[in-house]
Amino acid sequence: MSRRGLLVPAVLAALALTLSAAGCGARQAAADTLVFAVDDEPLVLDPHASPQDSAALFTRPVLDSLVSLGPDGRIEPWLATAWSISPDRRTYTFTLREDVKFSDGTRFDAAAVKANLDHIADPKTQSRLAAHYMEPYTGSTVVDARTVKVHFAKPHAPFLAALSEAFFGMQSPASLRRGPDVLARHVVGSGPFVIERYVPHQEIVYRRNPDYRWGPATARHTGPARLARLKFTILTEDSVRLGALTSGQADAIASVPPVTVRRVRANPRLRVETRPAPGGVYMYLPNVTRGVFADRRVREAFRIGIDYPTIVRRLYFGLFDPAFSPLSTSTPSYDPATRERWRLDRAAAGRLLDEAGWTGRDRQGYRTRNGRRLVVRWPFQRSVAREQRAELAELVQAEARRLGIDLRIGNVSQAEYFPRYAAGDYDLVDYVGRRIDGDMLRNLFATSFISTPDRFGQNGARYSDRRVDGWLAAALATDDQAERADLYARVQRRVMDESAAFPVYVPAYVLGVSKTVHGIGWSPLAYPTFYEAWVSDR
Amino acid sequence: MKTLWRHWTSPRFRVPRAVLVRLGTSLLVLWGAVTVAFAALHLTPGSVEQALVGPNTITPQARAELVTEYGLDEPLPVQYGRLVGRMARGDLGESYQLHQPVAEALGSQLGPSLQLAGAAMALAVAASLTLALLTAGRGRLVRGLSSGIELVGVSIPTFWTAIVLLTVLSFQRGWFPAAGADGVTALVLPAVAVAVPLTALLTQLLRDSLELALDEPFVLTARARGLSDLAVRLRHALRHALLPALTLAGWMFGALVGALVVVEEIFARPGLGRLVLTAVEGKDLPVVMGAVLVTAALYVAVNIVLDLLYLVVDPRLRGAR
């Protein structure tokens, strides 16, 4: 198809639209409308394709899931009323609600579930996340309108928890058929809200779905949403978002910068809500395959010789908790015992470095071995560093200096970063990743997740241990939560004993919200949800 | 062929010839801009494929699909040839990141950007004309004060101006909305933020050249004819002073594009700024190329318009050359 000549009419149309819109100052929204200022927007909306947290946030109001996840990590009904797993753990049978309709009028049934899962697995969708969460998926069969069977090539225990995420939200099959170009900017589901309009770089506006009466079992509210309208404004600048909240132009804002949390808390009209994010904590990963950190003693010195908890408490004023495990405290299978396994011991760290042969000192006071300085090269992506991670890095750098380690914090762009990362050309990288299952550990430490130029993997430590690989595989094959927790606990202890990760802090979603807003809920991934929200008189 | 050449070189065809040459060089400029941008994106480290996948785990099948869909496995010269060929036909291609034709992506963002640029430019021209006419050739105090203010105006970063405007006029007074692009009120603060440094620069230049013009003998003649001070300034001196300002205005267009990127980000206005930023970061080649092409075309167009304006302002240029 030729797109010649499309540009001019498009420009004229855009001009006409913006010019014709009437303006009037910074108005207050009506009482049944909630304005939420967010700090990020997705490149494409379709959460089946996009890996971005913002895609999940933007589509959650519109999409329901087959199951929901309770606060205790239990799987609860939503669009599926019941499910069973075959003895070989390779087939899931779901029984579905019968009264559910997508907002375009399409009926939700077994064929719709199949269409959604097939859409995620279809290579043409180019899924950057969801397809990976169900990689052994082989297909679905429609038994009858209410019953669908989902098949896997091998057992895949994280599937049910993943299903509760917006990345697996059920979309109207009619909408899915319209293809990626349409799904990139419009998504149709059965959720409590319907997308009214989406203006990239500006805002997304939802209106209430009046027919909604199939909320998740985890919600206290039933029936249609309380809000008639919901609007997300995209304000990437921290100070602007904060100003919008304090001036009442926004009812809630995402990611209150840690430095300003005190100011928001001091404001009598506002409050701050935080929720620790599940998955991988913000951590530093040493390259265990080459360079100075190939020596376990140097890694251990870097782990026990630096007072991460104190740095974190001072920098974030208690907003974020120090981390002691690569898994966040809110992840099922987090091992609390990891907390007891770390103790600051600078003297021991010094001894370890001596043992490793770094006994010399150069003029600047850094340790040397055979005349070469103990340098840790860290390709840091300063331009995308959030939450004062650059300041954090400098505080760690100062403590490393006390140990005689020259921590060199680079400043690389994303484009420069990936080739270096894929080639393992670094001593240290930082990482954080949201996920609601302990299977996160497989992404972080399984041999198959070491990056190559052809495949990105989150195993930044490039850590490879046959026992750890075995535990991680075993945890996929069982649905016994206690057994999985035990396997993941073993992994956490092992990688910490090996100093294959330096956990720094537990990231949290920091929501700034007006006291007139009530009932904001939290998704399992620690994102705010608005189904039960309402606004009292301003 | 020979007659064609004779026509081409004959004096009668002076104007069409000039236009054709001008168009030819403009095309060269556009081609050059596209080529430099293509080279720049490929010279920075990392493959397009790596940038597209990012820090995500993608199945091998999906990855293969991505590579074939956008022809990323072809040698670079082939990709380049394909790109230039497509652009020559007016087809900007499809964005790698957005699942959208580039023309559509640019088209939806160009309007708001042009609107802001136009408003800022109009504001800057009106303000600087007024200021320059009022302050040129006045007492030392007035001049010193205004050039001091102008110096500040040129020096403060647009980012800072934008935040101050927002804090005072939106967050504290509530006169203007902080964000968005709905209606005229949403346009005021961003336009002012962009216009401040432009106004400062233009005023300085206009005043200096106005003062030069006011010293010319023809001004004395005009005054001798009994014209009022304002009439002298408006009708005679200003015309002379406008020429260097026009030259500067052409250059300012470039500076404007940079300021737009910053201001659009702060005020959450749709526009080319964020579109291009994310495209460069993600090596979204078609979008970057399209944006480069559109910006370069606008730049060429602005300069052609300015050339025409010279003719309007300066009658000497209208005679035989």
Side-chain angles (χ1 to χ4, degrees), chain A residues 337-356:
Chain A
T338 48
R339 198 176 190 108
E340 313 306 323
R341 296 168 86 91
W342 182 88
R343 200 169 53 85
L344 177 68
D345 193 341
R346 292 202 178 91
R351 284 195 300 274
L352 282 164
L353 291 173
D354 286 340
E355 278 171 37

Side-chain angles (χ1 to χ4, degrees), chain B residues 73-127:
Chain B
D73 46 352
E74 285 167 345
L76 280 189
V78 176
Q79 291 190 34
Y80 173 74
R82 221 180 261 274
L83 176 89
V84 173
R86 256 197 304 116
M87 288 196 154
R89 291 196 310 272
D91 177 4
L92 297 181
E94 167 119 2
S95 159
Y96 295 161
Q97 287 185 318
L98 304 173
H99 278 292
Q100 193 178 26
V102 173
E104 210 178 287
L106 288 175
S108 61
Q109 305 300 318
L110 190 61
S113 277
L114 284 181
Q115 206 187 359
L116 176 54
M121 215 46 185
L123 210 63
V125 168

Side-chain angles (χ1 to χ4, degrees), chain B residues 148-170:
Chain B
I149 293 173
E150 283 147 28
L151 194 68
V152 172
V154 173
S155 327
I156 51 172
T158 307
F159 175 84
W160 192 80
T161 320
I163 296 279
V164 169
L165 284 172
L166 263 177
T167 306
V168 177
L169 298 181
S170 179

Side-chain angles (χ1 to χ4, degrees), chain A residues 41 126 185 234 236 249 415 454, chain B residues 45 63 69 98 170 178 265 268:
Chain A
E41 67 176 322
Q126 294 170 15
R185 265 153 299 278
I234 300 145
T236 51
Q249 296 182 49
D454 293 327
Chain B
R63 191 182 188 108
E69 181 177 350
L98 304 173
S170 179
E265 189 77 20

Side-chain angles (χ1 to χ4, degrees), chain A residues 49 196 224 230 251 265 267 294 337 345 366 377 390 479 514:
Chain A
E196 188 171 274
L230 174 64
D251 301 303
R265 283 197 173 131
N267 188 324
D345 193 341
Y366 291 110
R377 294 170 308 128
D479 287 297
S514 159

Side-chain angles (χ1 to χ4, degrees), chain A residues 1-7 10-11 14-15 18-19 21-27 41-44 49 51-52 121-129 131-132 135 180-182 184-185 197 199-203 231 233-237 239-247 249 383-384 413-416 418-419 422 431 443 449 452-458, chain B residues 44-47 49-63 65-67 69-70 89-94 96-104 106-112 114-115 159 163 166 170-172 174-186 264-272 274-276 278 280-283 294:
Chain A
M1 190 190 78
S2 160
R3 292 183 186 106
R4 200 175 322 183
L6 204 78
L7 192 60
V11 170
L15 259 176
T18 32
L19 286 176
C24 66
R27 63 208 138 184
E41 67 176 322
L43 289 164
V44 302
Q52 291 176 279
D122 186 353
K124 287 209 159 40
T125 305
Q126 294 170 15
S127 172
R128 316 276 213 272
L129 187 92
H132 161 62
E135 212 163 336
D181 287 14
V182 173
R185 265 153 299 278
R197 74 195 168 105
V199 187
H201 311 325
Q202 187 185 335
E203 64 191 14
K231 179 163 127 176
T233 311
I234 300 145
L235 293 178
T236 51
E237 202 55 53
S239 55
V240 176
R241 224 166 41 248
L242 193 65
L245 180 69
T246 51
S247 66
Q249 296 182 49
S383 63
V384 292
S413 72
Q414 234 172 320
E416 287 170 276
F418 287 124
Y431 182 79
N443 296 67
F449 283 89
T452 67
D454 293 327
R455 185 175 162 111
F456 178 90
Q458 289 89 340
Chain B
T44 50
S47 68
E49 193 189 331
Q50 254 168 349
L52 284 183
V53 173
N56 305 300
T57 317
I58 179 169
T59 60
Q61 299 87 337
R63 191 182 188 108
E65 180 66 33
L66 188 142
V67 167
E69 181 177 350
Y70 300 120
R89 291 196 310 272
D91 177 4
L92 297 181
E94 167 119 2
Y96 295 161
Q97 287 185 318
L98 304 173
H99 278 292
Q100 193 178 26
V102 173
E104 210 178 287
L106 288 175
S108 61
Q109 305 300 318
L110 190 61
L114 284 181
Q115 206 187 359
F159 175 84
I163 296 279
L166 263 177
S170 179
F171 300 153
Q172 286 172 9
W175 292 345
F176 300 98
D182 301 326
V184 181
T185 43
E264 284 171 357
E265 189 77 20
I266 293 177
F267 289 94
R269 279 183 66 84
L272 289 180
R274 202 177 309 168
L275 182 73
V276 174
T278 43
V280 169
E281 207 156 76
K283 291 205 176 218
V294 167

Side-chain angles (χ1 to χ4, degrees), chain A residues 401-414:
Chain A
R401 202 197 149 100
R402 283 178 64 180
L403 293 176
I405 299 173
D406 183 5
L407 176 61
R408 294 206 182 143
I409 308 167
N411 182 9
V412 300
S413 72
Q414 234 172 320

